[in-house]
């Protein structure tokens, strides 16, 4: 039985065609800037998104960290959502490694940072305070897309205070596909954007940070300092280029499947559908039944993650097809029928 893994879109495995592209990659030593496939990937994303340059790194966590290290000096701060990945799920890296203070801001339900909270959090220039330097947003956030007019407004507020803007665009292409705009239409509001190729796009490894020559040069130095300089990484970059060529438009299928799954789950007594956004479905189930549900789904070859009781997040991706969604919905229905 095929296992249907709905824990995250990070679980995708490279397709046969992607593996072939990786096998055929031309490579060189990237620390010398001589890997042609890495260079092609970096330039491809920089051009697509409207920036000077790109930097290929192993993870989104490192990409966000390098962006903050490039924007900020010791004693600076960044404004960031209290539930943002860059604040909450990256081990406090900017503080640990950069002496950069986060200023978390309570997000609105749609994932935006309300403009008045941003303005209120910006510190005066005064030796008592850290220097507020950057506004960091996330799109998509828990699957939600930030409204395009919000991006314009947030950009204007940040600029009026002389702040830089960074986007954690781990799922930027999901946002672009869902909003029906080219990704650069979202990216253009920012000085740096981090993109994960290893999520719904289906590459095995890799993120790219894009920005100006000046910011990317700084980020490249910090990549080396943090042990991220790599050599014949073109084998990985080839997988990422393949993903950009073949797996962007199809993200719409993941969104449709998530919407269909949400519709099926909504009909099941015992499940409270909290929402569906792009490739993510959020449900509440009675906490007392959670372990039993998990075991039942495991029997049916379905993996979910039950980290945060009692809310479950189900994520669709490249390795989940229509039949997998049907099987998932049927397994949930059977469980709640029995109980
Ligand atoms: C996954 C993710 C990251 C970090 O990516 P890793 O490659 O797992 O380090 C950053 N931001 C968001 C929103 C993510 O979902």
């Amino acid at each position: 039985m095929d296992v249907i893994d709905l824990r995250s879109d990070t679980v995708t495995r490279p397709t046969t065609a992607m593996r072939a592209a990786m096998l055929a990659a031309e490579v060189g030593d990237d620390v010398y800037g001589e890997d042609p496939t890495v260079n092609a990937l970096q330039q491809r994303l920089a051009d697509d998104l409207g920036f000077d340059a790109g930097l290929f790194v192993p993870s989104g966590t490192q990409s966000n960290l390098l962006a903050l290290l490039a924007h900020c000096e010791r004693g600076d701060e960044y404004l960031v959502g209290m539930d943002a990945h860059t604040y909450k799920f990256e081990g406090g890296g900017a503080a640990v490694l950069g002496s950069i203070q986060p200023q978390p801001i309570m997000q609105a339900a749609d994932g935006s940072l309300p403009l008045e909270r941003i303005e209120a959090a910006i510190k005066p220039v005064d030796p008592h305070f850290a220097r507020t330097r950057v506004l960091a947003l996330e799109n998509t956030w828990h699957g939600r897309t930030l409204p395009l007019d919000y991006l314009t407004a947030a950009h204007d507020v940040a600029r009026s205070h002389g702040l830089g803007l960074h986007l954690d665009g781990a799922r930027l292409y999901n946002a672009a596909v869902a909003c029906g705009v080219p990704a650069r239409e979202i990216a253009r509001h920012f000085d740096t954007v981090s993109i994960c190729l290893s999520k719904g796009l289906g590459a095995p490894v890799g993120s790219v940070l894009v920005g100006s020559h000046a910011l990317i040069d700084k980020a490249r130095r910090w990549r080396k300092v943090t042990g991220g300089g790599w050599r014949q990484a073109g084998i990985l970059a080839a997988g990422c280029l393949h993903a950009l060529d073949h797996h962007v438009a199809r993200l719409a299928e993941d969104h449709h499947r998530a919407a269909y799954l949400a519709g099926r789950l909504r009909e099941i007594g015992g499940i409270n559908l909290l929402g569906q956004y792009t490739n993510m479905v959020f449900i509440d189930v009675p906490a007392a039944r959670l372990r039993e549900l998990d075991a039942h789904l495991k029997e049916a070859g379905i993996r979910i993650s039950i980290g945060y009781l009692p809310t479950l997040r189900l994520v669709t991706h490249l390795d989940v097809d229509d039949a997998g969604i049907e099987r998932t919905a049927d397994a949930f229905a059977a469980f709640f029928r029995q109980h």
Side-chain angles (χ1 to χ4, degrees):
M1 184 169 42
D2 285 349
V3 172
I4 300 160
D5 194 339
L6 300 166
R7 289 173 302 166
S8 174
D9 47 11
T10 55
V11 301
T12 54
R13 284 147 306 177
T15 61
T16 305
M18 183 181 281
R19 287 170 195 254
M22 294 171 74
L23 196 61
E26 261 188 75
V27 297
D29 190 327
D30 182 51
V31 170
Y32 291 111
E34 290 174 2
D35 188 301
T37 311
V38 169
N39 291 341
L41 172 65
Q42 291 173 162
Q43 204 54 51
R44 161 82 180 269
L45 271 168
D47 292 344
D48 270 10
L49 301 178
F51 291 87
D52 295 341
L55 185 68
F56 186 41
V57 298
S59 71
T61 298
Q62 192 179 58
S63 186
N64 284 326
L65 172 65
L66 299 184
L68 292 170
L69 290 170
H71 280 281
C72 297
E73 306 292 330
R74 178 183 175 86
D76 290 350
E77 79 170 1
Y78 66 111
L79 309 179
V80 63
M82 197 170 282
D83 276 319
H85 203 281
T86 309
Y87 172 57
K88 199 169 176 181
F89 297 93
E90 295 178 7
V96 174
L97 298 163
S99 301
I100 301 162
Q101 161 175 296
Q103 170 58 68
I105 293 177
M106 186 85 85
Q107 279 144 314
D110 67 358
S112 64
L113 309 187
L115 302 180
E116 63 281 4
R117 288 186 204 155
I118 292 174
E119 293 219 80
I122 296 170
K123 317 263 181 307
V125 178
D126 177 304
H128 288 88
F129 301 117
R131 288 166 304 207
T132 312
R133 291 297 298 274
V134 183
L135 172 64
L137 299 180
E138 182 173 323
N139 195 12
T140 62
W141 173 75
H142 294 193
R144 294 153 175 86
T145 56
L146 292 176
L148 297 174
D149 57 353
Y150 170 78
L151 294 178
T152 306
H155 168 273
D156 292 349
V157 166
R159 280 291 187 264
S160 71
H161 292 274
L163 304 188
L165 287 108
H166 172 67
L167 178 66
D168 178 355
R171 297 186 180 83
L172 171 67
Y173 284 93
N174 292 82
V177 165
C179 294
V181 297
R184 74 156 58 206
E185 197 47 42
I186 296 170
R188 71 186 175 90
H189 300 289
F190 298 88
D191 301 300
T192 47
V193 179
S194 168
I195 305 102
C196 287
L197 286 307
S198 60
K199 304 239 160 130
L201 292 176
V205 176
S207 290
V208 173
L209 180 69
V210 295
S212 64
H213 286 302
L215 285 167
I216 294 301
D217 284 348
K218 282 173 100 174
R220 183 176 294 106
R221 176 169 187 283
W222 283 120
R223 184 184 68 169
K224 187 73 178 133
V225 170
T226 54
W230 46 9
R231 305 296 178 176
Q232 287 73 28
I235 290 182
L236 298 172
C240 295
L241 281 165
H242 181 89
L244 290 171
D245 285 337
H246 300 283
H247 296 167
V248 172
R250 66 152 305 286
L251 291 171
E253 296 175 27
D254 297 341
H255 302 172
H256 288 136
R257 289 192 179 108
Y260 175 80
L261 179 61
R264 289 284 310 272
L265 298 178
R266 183 187 284 116
E267 301 306 317
I268 299 172
I271 294 180
N272 178 22
L273 177 73
L274 301 174
Q276 175 263 322
Y277 313 95
T278 60
N279 66 331
M280 298 183 186
V281 180
F282 297 88
I283 56 175
D284 262 356
V285 299
R289 291 184 178 178
L290 208 51
R291 306 236 154 248
E292 222 185 326
L293 171 66
D294 189 35
H296 170 87
L297 293 174
K298 235 180 224 130
E299 278 289 292
I302 295 159
R303 298 195 70 175
I304 59 167
S305 143
I306 57 166
Y308 301 93
L309 308 179
T311 297
L312 296 179
R313 183 189 78 163
L314 308 173
V315 187
T316 59
H317 52 74
L318 192 58
D319 291 357
V320 180
D321 60 9
D322 289 337
I325 292 294
E326 291 292 347
R327 224 171 86 199
T328 301
D330 290 348
F332 270 96
F335 177 80
F336 284 99
R337 242 191 335 265
Q338 287 166 21
H339 293 74

